[in-house]
Amino acid sequence: MRLKAVLFDLDDTLYSSFGACDAYAYERLAVWAEQELGISGEAFAQAFRVNRYRLGRQQPGMPPVHDRVLFAQGALERLGCNAIRYARKAHRVYWDAVLEKMELRPGVTELLDDLRQAGVKTAVCTDMLADIQMEKLEYLGLADRVDYLVSSEEAGMDKPGAPIFWLALQKCGCLPHEAVMVGDNFRHDVQGAMDVGIAGVWLNWTGLPRPQDDRSYHQVDTFVQAAEHIRTLL
């Protein structure tokens, strides 16, 4: 089998750590709410979280659960503020903070360059909205190194649903056995890919216990190790 495509998750795979970025973004939202709206920053940040969880319950696995404009809209309405005027501003505050904290993982640019030189297509498969993920890739300096972005917004369903993987394969022009998927979330990235016949590489950078799955996949602790493994497939 000749490797024709490598699919990558983005958040916590190509950069780290989204958890740290997210926590910092809530801090910035709290400061913004106090300065811009004159309300309790803590109350706004908590209302933002509450609406985030509410959307998750209402639309599990669907792309709108990632839309920070919707999180902000619900929070502002809950606190009696003008959501139409301020929701998009809160969205921008949140993502500017995330961008500021992102750290590209060592070995990412080198692997992407090697894959392009080898004629292997690359795609980012992400449970997120297309606009912000494109912005992240630009900010990280990867916009010209990745061939395709496939978001759950475009596919209509989050991973581990099959549509996002099939769409990535279609864009890359290959069959499942000609591709490999690299991601940090075992259920969404690795099992989801294996469910449609794509080989999985689990970037287990947090040291989680090995899940129960009899299928064969490759496990690594760092992105550099993932890159070394992928190079053996070229």
Side-chain angles (χ1 to χ4, degrees), residues 4-5 121 148 166-176 178:
K4 292 186 178 180
K121 295 296 184 181
Y148 304 107
W166 285 117
L167 183 54
L169 292 172
Q170 179 184 358
K171 289 188 178 187
C172 291
C174 67
L175 298 173
E178 297 171 323

Side-chain angles (χ1 to χ4, degrees), residues 15-229:
Y15 78 89
S16 66
S17 108
F18 181 75
C21 296
D22 184 62
Y24 178 66
Y26 275 104
E27 293 176 8
R28 300 309 306 161
L29 277 173
V31 172
W32 172 82
E34 292 182 359
Q35 294 178 345
E36 183 80 10
L37 304 177
I39 62 176
S40 165
E42 181 179 351
F44 177 73
Q46 179 59 23
F48 197 93
R49 290 189 183 93
V50 167
N51 204 48
R52 184 177 188 172
Y53 299 142
R54 179 183 65 80
L55 282 169
R57 291 193 302 271
Q58 289 178 346
Q59 302 184 49
M62 302 303 290
V65 303
H66 305 292
D67 191 343
R68 269 60 178 177
V69 174
L70 291 178
F71 301 170
Q73 178 184 350
L76 290 162
E77 291 171 349
R78 181 183 293 267
L79 296 174
C81 299
N82 187 331
I84 296 173
R85 178 177 295 277
Y86 293 109
R88 288 177 298 133
K89 292 182 180 180
H91 166 273
R92 193 65 261 168
V93 169
Y94 176 92
W95 285 120
D96 283 348
V98 169
L99 295 173
E100 181 183 340
K101 283 291 184 180
M102 292 190 308
E103 294 185 6
L104 186 67
R105 289 196 184 278
V108 170
T109 56
E110 294 84 354
L111 176 61
L112 291 174
D113 289 346
D114 288 349
L115 291 173
R116 174 154 295 181
Q117 186 174 3
V120 175
K121 295 296 184 181
T122 56
V124 166
C125 297
T126 175
D127 285 347
M128 187 58 75
L129 308 181
D131 181 68
I132 187 59
Q133 298 305 72
M134 290 180 182
E135 187 172 355
K136 288 179 187 176
L137 290 170
E138 285 193 274
Y139 197 92
L140 292 167
L142 302 180
D144 294 323
R145 288 184 162 96
V146 173
D147 293 308
Y148 304 107
L149 172 73
V150 186
S151 65
S152 58
E153 179 182 27
E154 181 183 13
M157 183 183 297
D158 277 359
K159 297 175 289 187
I164 193 168
F165 297 107
W166 285 117
L167 183 54
L169 292 172
Q170 179 184 358
K171 289 188 178 187
C172 291
C174 67
L175 298 173
H177 70 275
E178 297 171 323
V180 63
M181 171 74 192
V182 183
D184 70 289
N185 186 305
F186 186 81
R187 178 69 191 104
H188 286 194
D189 300 323
V190 179
Q191 287 185 320
M194 292 192 300
D195 287 346
V196 299
I198 301 171
V201 177
W202 184 29
L203 177 55
N204 185 19
W205 65 280
T206 56
L208 295 173
R210 187 178 179 90
Q212 292 293 325
D213 197 308
D214 294 333
R215 294 173 294 184
S216 176
Y217 59 90
H218 193 77
Q219 179 176 334
V220 296
D221 300 323
T222 68
F223 190 91
V224 169
Q225 292 173 347
E228 291 173 352
H229 171 69

